[in-house]
Short mmCIF file of all heavy atoms in Angstrom, two decimals:
data_model
loop_
_atom_site.label_atom_id
_atom_site.label_comp_id
_atom_site.label_asym_id
_atom_site.label_seq_id
_atom_site.Cartn_x
_atom_site.Cartn_y
_atom_site.Cartn_z
N HIS A 1606 -13.06 -7.37 -4.23
CA HIS A 1606 -12.64 -8.43 -5.14
C HIS A 1606 -13.25 -8.26 -6.53
O HIS A 1606 -12.77 -8.86 -7.50
CB HIS A 1606 -13.01 -9.80 -4.60
CG HIS A 1606 -12.39 -10.12 -3.26
ND1 HIS A 1606 -11.08 -9.84 -2.97
CD2 HIS A 1606 -12.91 -10.70 -2.15
CE1 HIS A 1606 -10.81 -10.21 -1.73
NE2 HIS A 1606 -11.91 -10.74 -1.21
N TYR A 1607 -14.30 -7.44 -6.63
CA TYR A 1607 -14.97 -7.25 -7.92
C TYR A 1607 -14.45 -6.03 -8.67
O TYR A 1607 -14.94 -5.72 -9.76
CB TYR A 1607 -16.48 -7.12 -7.70
CG TYR A 1607 -17.10 -8.38 -7.14
CD1 TYR A 1607 -17.27 -8.54 -5.77
CD2 TYR A 1607 -17.48 -9.43 -7.98
CE1 TYR A 1607 -17.82 -9.71 -5.25
CE2 TYR A 1607 -18.02 -10.59 -7.46
CZ TYR A 1607 -18.18 -10.73 -6.10
OH TYR A 1607 -18.72 -11.88 -5.58
N ALA A 1608 -13.47 -5.35 -8.11
CA ALA A 1608 -12.86 -4.21 -8.79
C ALA A 1608 -12.12 -4.68 -10.04
O ALA A 1608 -11.51 -5.75 -10.04
CB ALA A 1608 -11.91 -3.48 -7.86
N SER A 1609 -12.20 -3.91 -11.09
CA SER A 1609 -11.51 -4.28 -12.33
C SER A 1609 -10.00 -4.11 -12.14
O SER A 1609 -9.53 -3.41 -11.25
CB SER A 1609 -11.98 -3.41 -13.49
OG SER A 1609 -11.48 -2.09 -13.36
N ASP A 1610 -9.25 -4.76 -13.00
CA ASP A 1610 -7.78 -4.70 -12.91
C ASP A 1610 -7.26 -3.31 -13.20
O ASP A 1610 -6.14 -2.96 -12.79
CB ASP A 1610 -7.16 -5.70 -13.90
CG ASP A 1610 -7.44 -7.14 -13.53
OD1 ASP A 1610 -7.71 -7.40 -12.33
OD2 ASP A 1610 -7.42 -8.01 -14.42
N THR A 1611 -8.04 -2.50 -13.89
CA THR A 1611 -7.59 -1.17 -14.27
C THR A 1611 -8.01 -0.08 -13.28
O THR A 1611 -7.55 1.05 -13.38
CB THR A 1611 -8.13 -0.79 -15.66
OG1 THR A 1611 -9.56 -0.84 -15.64
CG2 THR A 1611 -7.60 -1.76 -16.71
N SER A 1612 -8.87 -0.41 -12.35
CA SER A 1612 -9.34 0.61 -11.40
C SER A 1612 -8.29 0.89 -10.34
O SER A 1612 -7.51 0.01 -9.95
CB SER A 1612 -10.63 0.15 -10.73
OG SER A 1612 -10.41 -1.01 -9.95
N GLU A 1613 -8.27 2.13 -9.88
CA GLU A 1613 -7.38 2.51 -8.78
C GLU A 1613 -8.18 2.48 -7.48
O GLU A 1613 -9.39 2.70 -7.47
CB GLU A 1613 -6.81 3.91 -9.01
CG GLU A 1613 -5.85 3.99 -10.18
CD GLU A 1613 -5.17 5.35 -10.26
OE1 GLU A 1613 -5.86 6.38 -10.10
OE2 GLU A 1613 -3.94 5.39 -10.48
N ILE A 1614 -7.46 2.22 -6.39
CA ILE A 1614 -8.10 2.15 -5.07
C ILE A 1614 -7.43 3.15 -4.14
O ILE A 1614 -6.21 3.17 -4.00
CB ILE A 1614 -8.02 0.74 -4.49
CG1 ILE A 1614 -8.73 -0.25 -5.41
CG2 ILE A 1614 -8.65 0.70 -3.09
CD1 ILE A 1614 -8.57 -1.69 -5.00
N LEU A 1615 -8.25 3.97 -3.51
CA LEU A 1615 -7.78 4.97 -2.57
C LEU A 1615 -8.43 4.70 -1.21
O LEU A 1615 -9.65 4.55 -1.13
CB LEU A 1615 -8.15 6.37 -3.06
CG LEU A 1615 -7.97 7.55 -2.10
CD1 LEU A 1615 -6.51 7.70 -1.69
CD2 LEU A 1615 -8.50 8.83 -2.73
N VAL A 1616 -7.60 4.64 -0.18
CA VAL A 1616 -8.09 4.42 1.18
C VAL A 1616 -7.85 5.68 2.00
O VAL A 1616 -6.71 6.14 2.11
CB VAL A 1616 -7.39 3.22 1.86
CG1 VAL A 1616 -7.91 3.03 3.29
CG2 VAL A 1616 -7.60 1.94 1.05
N ILE A 1617 -8.91 6.25 2.56
CA ILE A 1617 -8.80 7.40 3.45
C ILE A 1617 -9.32 6.95 4.80
O ILE A 1617 -10.52 6.79 5.00
CB ILE A 1617 -9.60 8.60 2.93
CG1 ILE A 1617 -9.18 8.97 1.50
CG2 ILE A 1617 -9.43 9.81 3.85
CD1 ILE A 1617 -10.07 10.02 0.85
N ASN A 1618 -8.42 6.77 5.74
CA ASN A 1618 -8.82 6.19 7.02
C ASN A 1618 -7.77 6.51 8.08
O ASN A 1618 -6.63 6.85 7.76
CB ASN A 1618 -8.98 4.66 6.88
CG ASN A 1618 -9.79 4.06 8.01
OD1 ASN A 1618 -10.83 4.59 8.40
ND2 ASN A 1618 -9.32 2.95 8.55
N GLU A 1619 -8.15 6.41 9.33
CA GLU A 1619 -7.21 6.68 10.42
C GLU A 1619 -6.17 5.57 10.56
O GLU A 1619 -5.11 5.77 11.15
CB GLU A 1619 -7.98 6.86 11.74
CG GLU A 1619 -8.91 8.06 11.77
CD GLU A 1619 -8.18 9.40 11.81
OE1 GLU A 1619 -6.94 9.40 11.92
OE2 GLU A 1619 -8.85 10.44 11.73
N SER A 1620 -6.47 4.39 10.04
CA SER A 1620 -5.51 3.28 10.06
C SER A 1620 -5.56 2.55 8.73
O SER A 1620 -6.58 2.58 8.03
CB SER A 1620 -5.82 2.32 11.21
OG SER A 1620 -7.13 1.80 11.09
#
Side-chain angles (χ1 to χ4, degrees):
H1606 300 317
Y1607 296 94
S1609 72
D1610 293 337
T1611 58
S1612 64
E1613 292 187 316
I1614 299 173
L1615 169 61
V1616 179
I1617 304 172
N1618 198 44
E1619 296 290 354
S1620 58

